[in-house]
Amino acid sequence: MAKKKPTVFVCQHCGYESPKYLGKCPSCGTWNQMVEERVQPKSDSRSRVTISGKASKAEPITDITIEKEERVKTKLVEFNRVLGGGVVPGSLVLIGGDPGIGKSTLLLQVSAQLNNDGGTVLYVSGEESASQIKMRAERLELRGTDFYLYAETDLSLIQETIESIKPDYVIIDSIQTMHHPEIDSASGSVSQVRESTATLMRLAKMNNIAIFIVGHVTKEGNIAGPRMLEHMVDTVLYFEGERHHTFRILRAVKNRFGSTNEIGIFEMRNGGLEEVLNPSQLFLEERLAGATGSSVVAAMEGTRPVLVEIQSLISPTVFGNAKRTASGLDYSRVSLIMAVLEKRAGLLLQNQDAYLKAAGGVRLDEPAIDLSIAVSIASSYKEKETRATDCFIGEIGLTGEVRRVSKIEQRVNEAAKLGFKRIFVPKNNLSGWTFPKEIDIIGCSTISEVIKKAFN
Ligand SMILES: Nc1ncnc2c1ncn2[C@@H]1O[C@H](COP(=O)(O)OP(=O)(O)OP(=O)(O)O)[C@@H](O)[C@H]1O
Ligand SMILES: [Mg+2]
Ligand SMILES: [Zn+2]
């Protein structure tokens, strides 16, 4: 009689293992995520993934020579920026994002770039056939001689191919479709994803190959499959954007080789992704002149200032409780600002519905946008427009004071560059820098003062 292989229940969310089924995961607390998987032989039998045969050993720190950190800069400036200055050889980068957002397109373009600069690239897809990828490449007008396409999901075959082609860069699209032949579980299960990623990690480190892996994102915003995938890799990037808008933001959420504040902005066109080097212009493009309930803020996205329009629609509540929504803005921040406006600036907002939005589909989350939110609400409430060339920067405190913000000089310069003439800033931000001559800088200390000056 064949002995039944032992199984174990694995949480698909965090990777917790239990010998028996549990409804709720004791480790991460999610429900109904335990899936039965075969127990795997311990990894010593399959951990040797060296190509060069080179093995690492413990050395005293003083004996270790620092190899000059070489980064490969692609011609995509926005992409380099998010990676912290360029692609680091031997690094494992995970790119997550919603279905159809453009992950494959981005990586195909990056592959062509890297190949044009003399790198050998292997693009492995478990989702599309080689001819489908070729069709996309033609549409994007990409070609290259050392640019290999490979439609495969079996990791051991992929490993053999890597050994024969010896690429500098490998793209794995996507990790959820890959399977390790020695693991019995289905593709996309925790065990598969974990083993496949571990194998790729070893390949990357031992052979100094930069590997990019695509991961699908679940509704909750996690990379589908285990959270631990994010711990295993060097860098995690999210590619995001709204389905109905053409621009896309590439954001670093983890980076062992750089800052995680940086974002790269792209626009999805017919010919592929194009870099947006002047995002402010894009976000202000459709601003309607003379509309009420609109104001502009210079917000920081990483180290870069970006001008964004904040829109409000305030109208009397017809029935029951006042309705409030905020898209692209933090709802509790908006509620707080409305309470401050009511209490400190005498705006009767409690029986008004309020709908707020950061135009263009961006997400803003920093205190410096408070003042602009407040002015936008006041503008709609009073049915008076702000001047088209006004910009508002400042945090608002609970007593209605306008508080100092960071990077004021960069914000003001960006606004000046785009033709704004009058900029409201916190009074405490006025000293210590010189502002552009042609700009009218108005230092303010309270929200009611700003409203008085802005609507006169
Ligand atoms: N023929 C085309 N012309 C213009 N744009 C196209 C064309 N085909 C696809 N696109 C754009 O490319 C996007 C899909 O990009 P891509 O396949 O790179 O996304 P993805 O994130 O890899 O998706 P998936 O999760 O399905 O793998 C589509 O949403 C569409 O905007
Ligand atoms: Mg894809
Ligand atoms: Zn769990």
Side-chain angles (χ1 to χ4, degrees):
M1 194 178 91
K3 214 171 119 205
K4 202 166 155 278
K5 277 202 181 167
T7 60
V8 63
F9 292 85
V10 184
C11 171
Q12 300 296 306
H13 189 70
C14 70
Y16 179 85
E17 292 182 5
S18 155
K20 60 179 199 305
Y21 179 79
L22 299 170
K24 183 183 179 186
C25 170
S27 168
C28 68
T30 50
W31 288 87
N32 303 327
Q33 288 291 322
M34 304 297 273
V35 169
E36 189 169 17
E37 294 182 7
R38 292 252 168 77
V39 171
Q40 300 307 328
K42 279 296 161 237
S43 56
D44 49 283
S45 62
R46 55 193 160 79
S47 61
R48 303 269 173 267
V49 200
T50 93
I51 292 175
S52 52
K54 165 177 80 176
S56 164
K57 62 179 195 316
E59 291 174 71
I61 191 165
T62 46
D63 290 359
I64 297 174
T65 50
I66 300 174
E67 290 156 39
K68 197 168 153 288
E69 189 196 359
E70 11 144 4
R71 283 176 190 264
V72 181
K73 286 197 168 40
T74 68
K75 291 207 177 59
L76 293 166
V77 181
E78 299 286 296
F79 189 72
N80 297 342
R81 187 209 313 278
V82 177
L83 285 175
V87 182
V88 178
S91 65
L92 188 62
V93 180
L94 174 65
I95 299 191
D98 286 326
I101 208 74
K103 301 178 293 296
S104 306
T105 307
L106 176 70
L107 287 175
L108 206 60
Q109 286 182 234
V110 168
S111 302
Q113 270 289 320
L114 291 166
N115 181 226
N116 283 340
D117 291 342
T120 304
V121 181
L122 175 65
Y123 188 106
V124 182
S125 178
E127 309 207 323
E128 291 159 299
S129 67
S131 71
Q132 273 177 305
I133 308 169
K134 171 96 196 263
M135 259 161 59
R136 174 182 285 135
E138 303 257 275
R139 174 165 63 84
L140 304 176
E141 293 176 9
L142 308 173
R143 63 207 52 177
T145 41
D146 273 338
F147 184 178
Y148 297 92
L149 301 180
Y150 187 28
E152 184 52 72
T153 57
D154 183 329
L155 214 58
S156 65
L157 293 176
I158 293 169
Q159 196 179 317
E160 277 170 27
T161 307
I162 291 177
E163 283 166 24
S164 67
I165 296 179
K166 299 199 179 10
D168 303 302
Y169 309 97
V170 174
I171 318 290
I172 302 288
D173 187 3
S174 65
I175 192 71
Q176 277 91 0
T177 57
M178 294 298 138
H179 74 100
H180 202 292
E182 289 172 40
I183 311 277
D184 287 329
S185 327
S187 302
S189 66
V190 170
S191 318
Q192 280 294 359
V193 169
R194 179 168 48 199
E195 274 318 308
S196 304
T197 309
T199 304
L200 292 167
M201 187 62 157
R202 282 190 295 263
L203 276 169
K205 298 293 172 221
M206 300 299 271
N207 305 288
N208 216 27
I209 304 173
I211 302 187
F212 295 90
I213 56 189
V214 172
H216 293 293
V217 168
T218 62
K219 276 204 236 49
E220 304 83 49
N222 293 333
I223 303 250
R227 235 328 95 85
M228 73 207 165
L229 192 55
E230 300 187 12
H231 298 292
M232 295 172 74
V233 301
D234 295 314
T235 302
V236 181
L237 309 179
Y238 273 95
F239 201 39
E240 51 188 43
E242 298 215 344
R243 194 162 288 277
H244 305 293
H245 287 100
T246 54
F247 78 87
R248 303 278 180 267
I249 292 181
L250 186 66
R251 197 184 291 277
V253 292
K254 164 182 168 175
N255 194 352
R256 285 188 183 143
F257 310 110
S259 140
T260 53
N261 284 324
E262 295 297 350
I263 64 164
I265 305 180
F266 298 86
E267 194 178 351
M268 182 62 97
R269 302 254 183 92
N270 268 350
L273 290 159
E274 274 186 36
E275 299 186 89
V276 176
L277 298 170
N278 191 348
S280 300
Q281 208 154 17
L282 177 75
F283 294 140
L284 295 182
E285 216 162 56
E286 287 170 291
R287 192 173 181 216
L288 200 61
T292 62
S294 157
S295 87
V296 172
V297 63
M300 296 302 292
E301 280 287 2
T303 53
R304 211 162 27 153
V306 178
L307 293 182
V308 182
E309 177 190 2
I310 293 179
Q311 300 179 332
S312 306
L313 187 66
I314 310 289
S315 66
T317 306
V318 180
F319 177 76
N321 293 332
K323 280 198 265 313
R324 264 115 212 237
T325 65
S327 95
L329 301 168
D330 179 24
Y331 179 79
S332 54
R333 183 186 296 280
V334 170
S335 308
L336 188 141
I337 292 169
M338 291 186 76
V340 172
L341 281 171
E342 176 121 24
K343 204 75 176 163
R344 313 287 175 193
L347 267 54
L348 277 174
L349 293 169
Q350 56 192 331
N351 43 23
Q352 301 280 333
D353 291 342
Y355 307 97
L356 274 90
K357 181 175 171 130
V362 255
R363 262 196 299 123
L364 298 178
D365 189 19
E366 61 152 347
I369 63 172
D370 288 358
L371 192 60
S372 183
I373 295 178
V375 169
S376 155
I377 293 171
S379 163
S380 179
Y381 176 77
K382 290 171 177 289
E383 284 293 333
K384 283 188 186 163
E385 74 252 31
T386 57
R387 281 195 214 165
T389 51
D390 279 359
C391 177
F392 303 87
I393 303 163
E395 177 180 354
I396 295 178
L398 294 186
T399 62
E401 81 276 20
V402 177
R403 307 179 68 100
R404 183 203 305 272
V405 301
S406 64
K407 312 235 168 64
I408 190 70
E409 198 165 351
Q410 274 170 277
R411 297 177 199 260
V412 166
N413 285 334
E414 176 73 7
K417 205 168 81 193
L418 285 169
F420 285 80
K421 300 274 179 276
R422 201 163 67 142
I423 305 180
F424 291 76
V425 303
K427 196 163 223 153
N428 287 335
N429 267 128
L430 283 180
S431 56
W433 57 290
T434 46
F435 29 87
K437 277 191 282 322
E438 69 283 8
I439 293 278
D440 194 6
I441 300 279
I442 304 182
C444 303
S445 33
T446 67
I447 175 63
S448 49
E449 182 190 342
V450 175
I451 290 177
K452 213 176 289 158
K453 286 182 180 158
F455 297 106
N456 261 331

